[in-house]
Amino acid sequence: ETAAGPAIVAVGNIVLTTEDLVPPASPPRFLVFWKFMTPDYVSAIGSKFVVKNLAFVPQDKAAPGDVLVTSAAGETLGAMQWQDRRPGDLALTNVLPKAYLMLMLLIGVMAAIAVLSWRQYRLISEREARAQRDAREDALTRLPNRNALMESLTALLLQPEPVAVTFVDLDGFKDVNDTYDHETGDRLIMAVAAGLTVLTPEAHLISRIGGGEVVIVHAGQGAEESAKATAARIISFLGDPVEIGGRMAQVGASIGIAVAAGNAATASEVMRRADVAMYAAKSAGKNRFCLFDAAMDNSRDETAEIASELQRILAEGRLEIAYQPIIDATTMQVAAVEALARWPQSSQLKIGPDRFIPVAETAGLIDRLGEAILEKACRDAAQWPGIRVSVNVSPLQLRHPHFAQRTLAIIDRCGIARNRIEIEVTEGTMIDNIRRLQPLFETLRKAGVSVALDDFGSGYSSIAYLRELHFDRIKIDRSLTKSILSSEVARNMIQATGLIAAGIKAQVTAEGVESGDEVALLRLAGCSEYQGYFFGRPQPASAITESLAAKPAAAA
Ligand code: C2E
Ligand code: MG
Ligand code: MG
């Protein structure tokens, strides 16, 4: 025990190890070593001899089993203490890092597998969810689709409360798709879908079931009123052009509403009625809504009746024509007549061309109707020398591969000069295919038949049609003429039409002229011909013959 704590001391007598030398005669010398038993030193010994936690502790801390350290005098100084080694400890110490590494690897692999299978699971469940969504959702707008609609409608119709189905058909949608591109069409549909969702907070369901078709369902008391209010809101909402990607697009809507209550009709029957009502709204002039009533079903039956009767009429050659005089602006004399198809007076049905022409088109009778009118008009024209005869031609007729040949053949057969015949085509025709129409129109014009653009200003007019197709005449639509007195815009447009016509060397005829005041303004705009009730209504051939024989009248 020293002042600095216990120390180990070793003392050795220094002696010569060979006998060859003689030790000096001096007092003996000693070599003394000591080491203080500091904790560091003791633990260094421990690690050197692989004794765990070796330490030197004071005597009072000594435990049984410790090795007591005594001084040379036999006095206890303290004790050496260490942790007992268990069998296998050493092996464990050596193996542990490797085992640890293995364990880490194993955990890593397990984790990787877990992550991968979780991903796989997520993918599969996402795919499944998507498939389920796709079966019930419209991919573009994420609105419920027809499946979801029919399911929910079926459930609603089992309840006693009324259900109102509102069928919305976007009128200009197809045009936007054709005029711009599908992406713009898609954006439009999304914009409209978003708008409809906002406009119909009380709706039970909004569903997109086709291109431009959206169905809104109202359920419960007041469903019909909500449906009507919604329809009115939609029409006024769509009245404004929508901006999509920097372009303005205008769509309107034809809306049909059908109401059913308490198991009185199946889901598909209610849908059919809403569809029929929608068609009624469309044929009534679009941008409106109609409530289904049973008479509409009759009108469907009537369509079939018209088609079969038209077939008989054509077979018997009984279709009639009314001729409307067209007045030359300079001479104020009758310069031409327009042949307008008329349903025979003798028939039970009283219908106009606006009804039976579309039926003829859908029933595949339009070619026969067109040829019947042309032939009759050519024969009648023989009585009116020097008068041009205008005949309307449906876009579908222009698709007939032999339209030009057959038209010329009919004219020639009747023995009338080709240059006395003009065909009138509407703008809607042009959207079809300018490239196909170009050679057709050229053939006709070279043969002497002139071509007029009918109803100009009533649809989607394009300068391209006028530039690429050669027209001899532009006929200003009645709707524009009607506004000439009240609207400066209409006046400007008619004026501009006159300039465009001059640019393409075409004449301008104003349709639907009903007053002398209109004539004065149309004259200023440079119209070369007038047609309308002011000068004469469509009338039988005999009446035209009479008025031409009498002194040709300038007005009424
Ligand atoms: P459209 O070719 O534009 O014929 C002019 C229409 O305007 C005629 O109606 C005529 O009666 C009407 N109209 C003429 N002047 C006035 C007026 O001053 N005021 C008013 N309010 N109306 C006037 P309509 O005869 O009912 O014929 C309607 C449409 O049916 C025609 O329009 C034409 O597109 C079509 N159509 C008539 N006949 C034929 C035909 O033989 N073949 C084809 N494909 N279409 C025809
Ligand atoms: Mg016409
Ligand atoms: Mg017209």
Side-chain angles (χ1 to χ4, degrees):
E1 181 82 9
T2 67
I8 302 164
V9 183
V11 182
N13 185 7
I14 302 171
V15 291
L16 290 173
T17 51
T18 67
E19 318 278 282
D20 305 341
L21 294 170
V22 181
S26 54
R29 296 171 184 215
F30 299 94
L31 187 61
V32 181
F33 291 99
W34 69 93
K35 206 74 186 162
F36 291 103
M37 301 273 280
T38 61
D40 283 353
Y41 180 63
V42 174
S43 105
I45 296 172
S47 41
K48 192 166 176 186
F49 296 98
V50 205
V51 179
K52 209 169 184 186
N53 293 345
L54 181 69
F56 177 75
V57 293
Q59 194 185 359
D60 54 330
K61 293 259 172 65
D66 290 354
V67 172
L68 296 177
V69 179
T70 52
S71 68
E75 172 191 357
T76 305
L77 296 173
M80 296 302 278
Q81 234 178 24
W82 67 88
Q83 198 174 315
D84 270 343
R85 191 186 292 283
R86 285 182 302 273
D89 258 9
L90 188 66
L92 190 66
T93 317
N94 284 331
V95 164
L96 206 59
K98 285 180 200 144
Y100 192 64
L101 196 71
M102 290 295 287
L103 191 67
M104 290 305 280
L105 265 171
L106 197 67
I107 289 172
V109 170
M110 295 284 279
I113 289 172
V115 167
L116 283 178
S117 32
W118 169 245
R119 277 224 199 130
Q120 200 67 23
Y121 165 77
R122 278 244 318 254
L123 259 169
I124 290 169
S125 58
E126 255 170 37
R127 212 173 290 160
E128 198 170 309
R130 201 184 315 138
Q132 261 177 22
R133 266 208 314 269
D134 286 351
R136 308 182 43 81
E137 245 180 30
D138 167 51
L140 187 62
T141 58
R142 289 275 162 238
L143 288 176
N145 63 12
R146 189 186 284 270
N147 289 345
L149 168 71
M150 294 310 278
E151 211 171 88
S152 138
L153 207 51
T154 306
L156 284 174
L157 285 166
L158 294 175
Q159 313 294 316
E161 283 85 37
V163 178
V165 172
T166 306
F167 196 122
V168 182
D169 186 66
L170 300 177
D171 287 324
F173 179 67
K174 203 183 162 298
D175 292 309
V176 169
N177 252 350
D178 294 347
T179 316
Y180 301 105
D181 47 59
H182 282 275
E183 205 181 308
T184 310
D186 284 357
R187 283 217 211 100
L188 175 70
I189 259 296
M190 287 201 276
V192 170
L196 292 192
T197 311
V198 174
L199 287 176
T200 53
E202 74 282 37
H204 180 84
L205 182 87
I206 304 176
S207 161
R208 181 184 181 221
I209 62 167
E213 295 172 334
V214 174
V215 169
I216 299 159
V217 177
H218 288 91
Q221 296 307 319
E224 183 177 331
E225 280 60 44
S226 301
K228 284 188 198 161
T230 298
R233 262 190 309 235
I234 291 171
I235 285 162
S236 96
F237 163 66
L238 292 175
D240 300 326
V242 200
E243 207 211 291
I244 15 163
R247 293 162 161 191
M248 299 306 280
Q250 175 79 69
V251 283
S254 299
I255 303 179
I257 302 173
V259 185
N263 231 341
T266 63
S268 48
E269 171 59 16
V270 179
M271 282 292 288
R272 188 193 68 81
R273 290 179 189 170
D275 190 34
V276 167
M278 184 276 287
Y279 266 100
K282 206 181 267 296
S283 40
K286 302 179 176 178
N287 261 327
R288 65 194 66 212
F289 70 90
C290 280
L291 202 62
F292 173 83
D293 74 278
M296 289 177 184
D297 266 341
N298 298 342
S299 103
R300 283 239 155 156
D301 296 344
E302 196 194 57
T303 302
E305 196 189 329
I306 291 170
S308 70
E309 179 145 12
L310 180 59
Q311 198 154 17
R312 251 194 323 273
I313 290 167
L314 288 171
E316 294 162 9
R318 283 169 41 228
L319 196 65
E320 295 172 8
I321 300 180
Y323 294 96
Q324 184 170 32
I326 298 170
I327 308 301
D328 183 285
T330 322
T331 65
M332 293 307 270
Q333 309 278 316
V334 176
V337 288
E338 177 172 2
L340 296 159
R342 289 291 178 266
W343 197 255
Q345 301 271 324
S346 55
S347 168
Q348 298 276 71
L349 291 169
K350 301 288 172 237
I351 50 171
D354 286 331
R355 181 84 174 97
F356 66 80
I357 296 289
V359 175
E361 286 174 338
T362 50
L365 295 169
I366 193 65
D367 287 331
R368 282 176 64 194
L369 184 147
E371 291 184 359
I373 296 288
L374 177 65
E375 175 140 17
K376 203 171 193 326
C378 288
R379 300 219 183 274
D380 286 340
Q383 318 163 53
W384 313 318
I387 301 288
R388 194 181 75 238
V389 177
S390 256
V391 176
N392 293 284
V393 166
S394 153
L396 291 178
Q397 286 174 265
L398 297 176
R399 289 201 192 146
H400 195 290
H402 302 127
F403 176 78
Q405 286 108 292
R406 294 176 73 150
T407 300
L408 295 175
I410 291 168
I411 297 168
D412 295 350
R413 196 159 70 217
C414 297
I416 181 177
R418 287 170 173 180
N419 63 7
R420 285 182 56 202
I421 302 298
E422 184 165 270
I423 62 162
E424 296 189 6
V425 296
T426 52
E427 288 170 327
T429 318
M430 261 52 84
I431 296 173
D432 260 19
N433 195 340
I434 290 183
R435 244 153 284 304
R436 204 165 41 72
L437 291 177
Q438 248 171 351
L440 173 61
F441 285 7
E442 276 326 295
T443 307
L444 290 169
R445 294 180 77 239
K446 280 213 184 80
V449 175
S450 52
V451 182
L453 176 56
D454 204 358
D455 301 345
F456 184 77
S458 68
Y460 295 84
S461 311
S462 164
I463 295 290
Y465 307 145
L466 294 168
R467 208 184 54 212
E468 292 179 35
L469 297 170
H470 297 281
F471 291 104
D472 301 281
R473 183 179 312 283
I474 295 175
K475 296 189 80 174
I476 292 176
D477 190 62
R478 187 163 81 234
S479 60
L480 215 49
T481 306
K482 204 172 69 185
S483 312
I484 194 169
L485 297 176
S486 58
S487 154
E488 199 190 333
V489 173
R491 271 198 296 283
N492 291 339
M493 281 177 66
I494 291 172
Q495 197 94 39
T497 306
L499 293 174
I500 289 170
I504 60 169
K505 299 187 172 62
Q507 306 264 302
V508 178
T509 299
E511 297 187 281
V513 183
E514 294 185 357
S515 74
D517 290 345
E518 287 168 2
V519 175
L521 287 176
L522 290 165
R523 188 183 295 279
L524 286 177
C527 289
S528 45
E529 288 180 351
Y530 312 122
Q531 175 182 359
Y533 293 172
F534 183 64
F535 297 101
R537 292 191 173 243
Q539 47 204 277
S542 57
I544 297 287
T545 308
E546 271 169 40
S547 62
L548 285 175
K551 197 192 155 339

